[in-house]
Amino acid sequence: SNGINAEYGENLTTLRRYLEMAPPEQKAESYKYLLHNNVVLELNPVHPIIKQLSSLRDSNPEVAELVAGQLFDNALMNADLVHDPRRMVGRINKLLTAVTKGKEE
């Protein structure tokens, strides 16, 4: 499983086709509406990233929020449901900064 399930009886193929048919000027809003109302992220609670995320939430909530957002977007990408992957670059750069902080030689 790619971690994303469509609710309300819609399958991913139908959801993708609908999103592809949206007019260009409405595509971003269509993605936002459909993903917010029709997609569920399923997490494996024993996965090492999820386990670390739980403790990171207490020790570094800002980074935990970045990681959680990136996990969701990774699942959307895996399901071919990302409208504009460029919007992730800022978050990815913040994550890279966070994990390399203090590692300068």
Side-chain angles (χ1 to χ4, degrees):
S1 169
N2 59 23
I4 298 241
N5 285 336
E7 292 180 348
Y8 312 114
E10 289 189 60
N11 63 39
L12 287 176
T13 302
T14 303
L15 190 56
R16 282 187 202 110
R17 284 189 185 137
Y18 181 83
L19 292 169
E20 288 170 4
M21 293 184 328
E25 66 277 2
Q26 295 176 356
K27 201 166 282 262
E29 284 302 313
S30 294
Y31 268 83
K32 186 177 177 181
Y33 172 79
L34 286 170
L35 295 180
H36 177 74
N37 292 306
N38 295 297
V39 173
V40 174
L41 176 65
E42 294 180 354
L43 300 174
N44 176 354
V46 297
H47 191 282
I49 293 174
I50 301 306
K51 290 169 113 176
Q52 288 293 338
L53 184 58
S54 179
S55 63
L56 188 61
R57 191 177 68 188
D58 296 326
S59 65
N60 195 337
E62 296 83 17
V63 173
E65 184 176 340
L66 293 170
V67 170
Q70 192 58 49
L71 284 173
F72 185 71
D73 280 346
N74 288 355
L76 291 176
M77 285 183 67
N78 193 41
D80 195 25
L81 291 173
V82 171
H83 167 60
D84 184 7
R86 294 173 296 180
R87 68 179 183 75
M88 289 184 270
V89 172
R91 182 187 324 115
I92 292 169
N93 286 337
K94 288 177 185 175
L95 282 166
L96 291 171
T97 300
V99 299
T100 58
K101 195 175 200 175
K103 307 248 191 284
E104 300 94 15
E105 292 184 36

